[in-house]
Structure formats: C-alpha cells, structure tokens
Amino acid sequence: MVRALLVIDVQKDFCEGGSVPVPGGAGRAAAIAGLVARTAAEGVYAEIVATRDHHIDPGGHFSADPDFRTSFPAHCVAGTEGAAFHPYFAAAAESAAVREVFYKGEHAASKSGFDGADAAGTRLTDWLRARGVTSVDVVGIATDHCVRATALDAVRDGFATRVLLDYTAGVARETTDRALEELGNAGVSLDGEPVVPA
C-alpha cells in the first residue's frame, strides 16, 4: 500500500481572524505542521501534498447574503493575504516534505481537493496515480466542508481513505456530526476526534 497525506486548505481566511474563520483552525494549523514534520522524518508517507482555495471569480460561491452551505463571504481570493497558508503551517507547506500544492476554485465553487490542479495543470487524482498512491489520509479545514468533500471524492476515485480527525476543525457540531456519518457510510475510516465548537 502506497499512502499519501492530503492537507486541505490550511489558509488564513479559514482560521481565526480570516473572512470565514473556523473555530480552532489556527490550532489545527500548528498541529498539522507538526504532523507533516514528524511523518516526513519517519517516512510514513510516500507523498505529502497540500490544497489551497484559489478564487478568482467563483460566481455564486461568493455572496453578500451567504447560506454557508454553497455560498460564503468572499474568501481566499487569489493574490490576497487571506489566501496564503496560515503562518503556523506556511513553513511546513514550503518545506521539501510537501511535494506539491493543488489550487482549486478559480472560476467555480470548489470544496474537494480533487477539483484541484498543480501549477502544470495536473489534477490531483492523476498526480497520485502516477506515483502509485493507493491510500490517502486527509487532514485540514473544515471537517464538514472541504475535508468531507475531499475524502468522499478520494473514495469515489478508488483510494482507500482515512480522515485523521485530530488534525481537522469543524464549523459546527451538527454539520460535523452529519459529515462524519456520511463519511463512515461511504467507507471512509475515521480516526480521532475533530475540533468543533461546544
């Protein structure tokens, strides 16, 4: 089994102080940086990659009256400070441990990392398959949105999939619980407990 770690959207706008902050996001950014450093040193993963929301004109995904399901306040606009990796994770993201970054959502709503492509235009699924990856662990922000969508797409694309919940942060208890049920029903392995508001 060739395993990869997928780090989902650990960006400033999704952490405290950002335009759509997830409670506990900054703490998870620090924890994920530690996970990347430790697992890279131990050779746990064949590949470690990260994804970033990278919006230019995502249409109705941005709204002045968002429903926080399909529409949200403007966030992670390409070239803005909010689109950058959170400072607690940035050094890890720029290290040799993280082999590639996949950008998603330039001109459409996008939650799944599997919607993303690298700078050369290679889609995440194709990149992983080219390297023989058969299994993925998913971490990042938010459990009930982009982590959920990425894990569901990973299973759909034939990867054995696990979400490391200790390295995720959820927006709300109700939506996180619903996401975990959906993930479990889809065959995703769940390990640990997500950070969620009380």
Side-chain angles (χ1 to χ4, degrees):
M1 183 175 291
V2 180
R3 184 177 294 274
L5 177 66
L6 313 183
V7 180
I8 309 303
D9 299 358
V10 183
Q11 294 168 264
K12 288 185 177 182
D13 270 345
F14 296 137
C15 296
E16 293 85 345
S19 62
V20 281
V22 177
R28 295 307 86 201
I32 291 167
L35 175 70
V36 167
R38 184 175 68 256
T39 57
E42 296 172 355
V44 173
Y45 296 104
E47 305 289 350
I48 301 175
V49 302
T51 70
R52 288 174 66 168
D53 253 14
H54 188 71
H55 296 308
I56 296 173
D57 181 13
H61 186 52
F62 286 175
S63 175
D65 185 26
D67 62 16
F68 293 96
R69 294 188 305 277
T70 60
S71 61
F72 297 84
H75 60 275
C76 298
V77 174
T80 66
E81 187 71 12
F85 287 121
H86 189 276
Y88 292 167
F89 176 66
E94 294 163 6
S95 73
V98 175
R99 292 286 302 278
E100 193 58 83
V101 177
F102 292 82
Y103 298 85
K104 60 189 179 69
E106 289 187 355
H107 298 286
S110 175
K111 290 189 177 182
S112 171
F114 285 89
D115 294 335
D118 65 12
T122 304
R123 308 289 289 186
L124 178 56
T125 296
D126 296 333
W127 192 95
L128 293 171
R129 285 183 176 152
R131 288 153 181 81
V133 172
T134 57
S135 175
V136 297
D137 285 350
V138 184
V139 301
I141 306 170
T143 318
D144 36 354
H145 290 279
C146 296
V147 169
R148 168 194 160 275
T150 300
L152 290 174
D153 280 355
V155 168
R156 177 205 66 194
D157 287 354
F159 298 100
T161 305
R162 178 173 63 172
V163 176
L164 304 180
L165 294 171
D166 291 338
Y167 299 94
T168 68
V171 173
R173 172 63 65 183
E174 180 182 358
T175 51
T176 298
D177 287 347
R178 191 160 57 239
L180 298 184
E181 181 178 5
E182 184 178 5
L183 290 168
N185 289 340
V188 176
S189 297
L190 302 172
D191 183 83
E193 291 291 331
V195 171
V196 270

